[in-house]
Amino acid sequence: MTDLTRDDLYAMDVADPLADLRDRFDLPGGVIYLDGNSLGAMPKAAKALASDVVSRQWGHDLIKSWNSNHWFTLPYRLGDKLARLLGADQGEIVCCDAVGINLYKALALAIKLNPDRRVILMEDDNFPTDVYMAQGLIDQLDGDYQLKLVPGPDLADAIDDKVAVVSITQVNYKTGLMQDMKAVCEKARAAGALTIWDLSHSAGAVPVDLNDAGADIAVGCTYKYLNGGPGSPGYVFVAVRHQNKAQQPLTGWWGHRAPFAFDRHYDAGPGIQQMSTGTQPITSMSLVEPGLDMFLDVDFDLVRDKSVKLCDLFIRLVEERCTGMGFYLNSPRDAQMRGSQVSFNHESGYAITKALISKGVIGDFRAPANMRFGFAPLYVRYSDIWNAVEILRDIMKNDTWRAPEFNKVDAVT
Ligand SMILES: *Cc1c(COP(=O)(O)O)cnc(C)c1O
C-alpha cells in the first residue's frame, strides 16, 4: 500500500457526490468539525426557519399557531419523516422528549408487554442515562426486577428465557462498535425477549431499517447526526404490532385520546399517540425538520459509503503519520462493525483533545482515555481528514499539549 498524499484526499473531495451538501450548512471558518456525533452542525435552513418560528409564528400568530402553523401535529409529522429514514411505517414514530424519558417509557412498556419475565439486559458500557433510567424504573417497581449488564460484544449471547427486554444501543457512544440489529432481533425473538434500540448514534450515521430487522421499540435523538440543534427533542418508535397492547406510565394529556375534552380519567390515544406526554418545545422541535429533510433528499448508500471511507482514512492516516506517538485504536477496524465515529486511546487524551480544539480541530474526550472523532458525511470533507491528522501530528511533535491550559479539566468535555 503506497502512502497517501494530501493531493489524493483533495482529489476525493472533487469526486465526492455529496460534496455540494456542505454548502447547506453554516460552518465557521478555520474549524474542522469532527464532533457532529455530539452536536450536529447548523443547517442554513434552520437559521431561516428559527426566525420564522419566533417572529411570525410565535410573535405574530401567537396561540393560533397550534392550529394554523400545525404546532400540535408537529411531533407526528416529524415522526413520519423519521420513519422514512429509519425503516418504520407511518404512525410508528413520534418526536418528543429527551432520549432518557423516551427510554423510561419504552422500558416500562416492554415490561408490561412481557409480564412473566424479570430481567432487563443491557451492555455495561452503555451511555449512562440508559443505564440510570433502567435503574430508576426498577427502583419504582414492586417485584424482583433485575438489570443485567454484560460487555457489548457478549450481549447477543446473554439473551435467554429470563430476559424480558434487551435494551441495546446500536452504535456504542465511545467505541463506535455497531451491533447487528437483525441478528440481535432474531436471537431475542427466538428467546421470547423484546428489543429496545437506542439509535442516538445511528440515525443519520448508518443505515437503519427497523421493520426489516424486526425491532420492537426504539428511541433516539435528533441533535447528533441529524443536526436538529442543541437539546432538540428525541423520538420513540413502537412497532404497530405492540401499539395499544399495554400502557407506558407517563400518561400526560398529550397521550390522551381527546386532550381537549379535559376528562378526569386517562384514556390512551390510538397508535403512537399513547407515547406522547405533554406540551413539547415547539421552537426547538421545529428546527429538527431542515436537518431531517436533507437526509430524505440523499441516497443513504452514498452517505454510508462516504462515512466508511472517512473513518478508514482517519484510522490509516493516524496510524501512518502518528506512529509511535501513543495512539491506540479503540474502535473496530472492520467498517462493518463500526458506526460513523472513530476513537483512539491515549494516556494524555484529554490534553491532546483540548490542544486540537485550540487549533480548530473539534473532537471530544470520553473518560478515561478515549479521544472521539465523529464523521458526519454531509459536511466533513476528505481533505479535512488529512488536515486534522497533520495538526494532530504537529501537536505531538511540538509537545503543544503539555501546556498547562490544556491540562485543566472543564465542566463539559
Ligand atoms: C446522546 C445519547 C443520549 C442522550 O440522552 P438525553 O436524554 O437526550 O440527554 C442517550 N443515550 C445514548 C445512547 C446517547 O448516545
Side-chain angles (χ1 to χ4, degrees):
M1 197 158 49
T2 55
D3 278 1
L4 284 165
T5 65
R6 183 175 181 276
D7 289 347
D8 293 332
L9 282 92
Y10 278 92
M12 290 177 78
D13 283 340
V14 173
D16 175 10
L18 300 177
D20 289 350
L21 287 164
R22 180 179 164 89
D23 192 46
R24 291 167 69 176
F25 290 89
D26 200 339
L27 289 157
V31 163
I32 299 175
Y33 194 58
L34 304 180
D35 215 355
N37 54 321
S38 202
L39 174 66
M42 179 176 64
K44 286 176 182 164
K47 196 172 179 174
L49 182 58
S51 157
D52 180 65
V53 170
V54 172
S55 304
R56 183 183 62 82
Q57 300 186 23
W58 178 20
H60 183 268
D61 295 352
L62 288 163
I63 200 163
K64 293 179 289 183
S65 288
W66 287 107
N67 291 313
S68 65
N69 290 309
H70 312 291
W71 287 354
F72 195 61
T73 49
L74 181 62
Y76 303 101
R77 182 167 86 242
L78 293 178
D80 284 343
K81 286 193 173 187
L82 283 157
R84 285 164 56 197
L85 181 66
L86 303 174
D89 288 333
Q90 304 294 285
E92 286 186 315
I93 298 184
V94 59
C95 181
C96 60
D97 303 334
V99 181
I101 293 174
N102 286 325
L103 184 65
Y104 191 90
K105 291 184 272 187
L107 285 166
L109 176 66
I111 278 173
K112 288 254 180 186
L113 288 167
N114 209 356
D116 300 330
R117 309 246 180 133
R118 288 291 176 272
V119 174
I120 297 173
L121 180 66
M122 260 191 197
E123 170 188 3
D124 58 4
D125 194 26
N126 203 349
F127 191 89
T129 212
D130 297 45
V131 180
Y132 302 158
M133 284 294 176
Q135 290 167 340
L137 174 65
I138 287 173
D139 198 47
Q140 292 296 315
L141 295 171
D142 288 334
D144 41 5
Y145 282 93
Q146 185 200 337
L147 175 62
K148 187 170 171 190
L149 297 171
V150 300
D154 304 342
L155 194 72
D157 289 337
I159 302 172
D160 61 23
D161 62 6
K162 305 247 177 336
V163 174
V165 54
V166 196
S167 180
I168 175 170
T169 299
Q170 188 186 15
V171 176
N172 179 279
Y173 77 109
K174 263 192 215 170
T175 64
L177 174 73
M178 179 161 65
Q179 301 278 351
D180 181 339
M181 186 183 278
K182 202 165 189 170
V184 174
C185 284
E186 271 164 23
K187 183 92 205 281
R189 193 175 326 108
L194 294 170
T195 53
I196 300 175
W197 292 89
D198 189 328
L199 305 177
S200 293
H201 284 276
S202 326
V206 297
V208 178
D209 197 335
L210 288 164
N211 283 336
D212 178 65
D216 296 300
I217 304 174
V219 300
C221 86
T222 60
Y223 51 79
K224 292 173 180 163
Y225 293 94
L226 293 180
N227 308 309
S232 58
Y235 53 89
V236 53
F237 157 88
V238 179
V240 73
R241 65 185 174 282
H242 296 307
Q243 292 181 358
N244 297 102
K245 299 272 164 62
Q247 182 53 51
Q248 59 87 7
L250 303 185
T251 45
W253 72 306
W254 277 37
H256 191 282
R257 180 172 301 278
F260 290 91
F262 297 103
D263 281 347
R264 206 36 59 226
H265 294 287
Y266 188 80
D267 180 11
I272 198 66
Q273 195 197 337
Q274 75 159 142
M275 299 307 283
S276 292
T277 49
T279 311
Q280 292 299 307
I282 296 297
T283 43
S284 175
M285 187 182 285
S286 298
L287 304 189
V288 170
E289 200 153 19
L292 200 49
D293 283 345
M294 244 185 273
F295 279 101
L296 297 179
D297 273 355
V298 299
D299 174 355
F300 207 88
D301 288 343
L302 296 176
V303 177
R304 175 63 176 163
D305 181 60
K306 184 175 175 189
S307 153
V308 167
K309 285 186 181 141
L310 289 168
C311 293
D312 281 347
L313 281 167
F314 185 72
I315 294 171
R316 178 170 167 195
L317 284 175
V318 169
E319 291 184 340
E320 269 176 23
R321 303 193 56 85
C322 303
T323 323
M325 291 176 171
F327 294 103
Y328 299 97
L329 183 65
N330 190 30
S331 294
R333 198 172 286 280
D334 175 1
Q336 276 199 3
M337 295 174 62
R338 194 179 62 216
S340 199
Q341 63 197 57
V342 171
S343 290
F344 277 97
N345 273 348
H346 191 291
E347 60 179 8
S348 303
Y350 182 70
I352 297 168
T353 303
K354 277 183 78 169
L356 274 171
I357 293 171
S358 81
K359 304 277 181 203
V361 179
I362 303 184
D364 63 23
F365 176 80
R366 290 293 174 263
N370 201 81
M371 301 171 66
R372 191 173 70 150
F373 303 92
F375 300 92
L378 301 197
Y379 54 82
V380 175
R381 295 168 296 200
Y382 295 104
S383 53
D384 290 332
I385 306 295
W386 177 271
N387 293 325
V389 175
E390 288 312 285
I391 291 169
L392 176 63
R393 182 176 144 102
D394 264 16
I395 284 171
M396 300 311 293
K397 280 172 81 174
N398 300 327
D399 279 342
T400 316
W401 61 274
R402 289 190 195 272
E405 77 242 46
F406 300 135
N407 288 272
K408 218 168 68 223
V409 180
D410 298 325
V412 176
T413 64

